Amino acid sequence: MRNTPPRITARRAGVGITGFAALAAAAVLATPSAIAAVDTVSVDQAGLVVNKPYTVSATLSGASVGLLVYFSDNGNAIGAPKVPWPPGHASIGWTPNSSGQHTLTVSQGNNSQSIVVTVADAPLGSGSSSTGSGFGPGGPLGSGSSGTTPN
């Protein structure tokens, strides 16, 4: 039987434990992003118009239960990250504030999926109306007396 000094045995054990810990940490860090997948991204209706609310939805697969889902419009975050609920699905409200092409992206872990949608300007007459300032060509309009009396 070979007699190995205790310092060498301890060093070998320490190297083995360190190597095992490094492999375990790499597996834990790589696992969620490697198995989470964003399968589809969709908007709840066609004919998108500026300043009208819509719902952006995503279907997810893999072990995505504990990972947050991030939504963005042309690289800008849409709201706070969402927890997938029900499992395999995530959605968020989105109101486009400009016309033109918008790239909607959904990300979970290191996986993402995008769609490009076109948003049109709101049709004329679709905004709010105003009652005016209350001034007309003859001066202020409104209720009450004018302060003059007829002759």
Side-chain angles (χ1 to χ4, degrees):
M1 181 152 122
R2 197 167 136 194
N3 191 3
T4 306
R7 280 182 32 209
I8 293 174
T9 303
R11 187 178 318 140
R12 286 181 185 164
V15 168
I17 290 171
T18 302
F20 177 76
L23 285 174
V28 167
L29 292 174
T31 300
S33 60
I35 56 179
V38 179
D39 298 323
T40 64
V41 177
S42 62
V43 180
D44 62 346
Q45 54 184 313
L48 305 176
V49 177
V50 172
N51 295 327
K52 184 175 177 197
Y54 300 97
T55 301
V56 179
S57 299
T59 56
L60 313 163
S61 63
S64 61
V65 175
L67 294 175
L68 293 175
V69 179
Y70 297 84
F71 294 83
S72 66
D73 172 11
N74 292 337
N76 298 312
I78 303 172
K82 298 290 184 176
V83 173
W85 193 258
H89 182 265
S91 63
I92 195 165
W94 169 63
T95 303
N97 58 8
S98 65
S99 61
Q101 286 193 337
H102 291 255
T103 302
L104 301 176
T105 303
V106 179
S107 303
Q108 186 182 43
N110 289 334
N111 189 274
S112 64
Q113 194 73 247
S114 298
I115 60 168
V116 177
V117 297
T118 301
V119 177
D121 285 321
L124 292 177
S126 63
S128 63
S129 63
S130 174
T131 58
S133 66
F135 282 87
L141 302 175
S143 63
S145 64
S146 67
T148 61
T149 57
N151 290 340

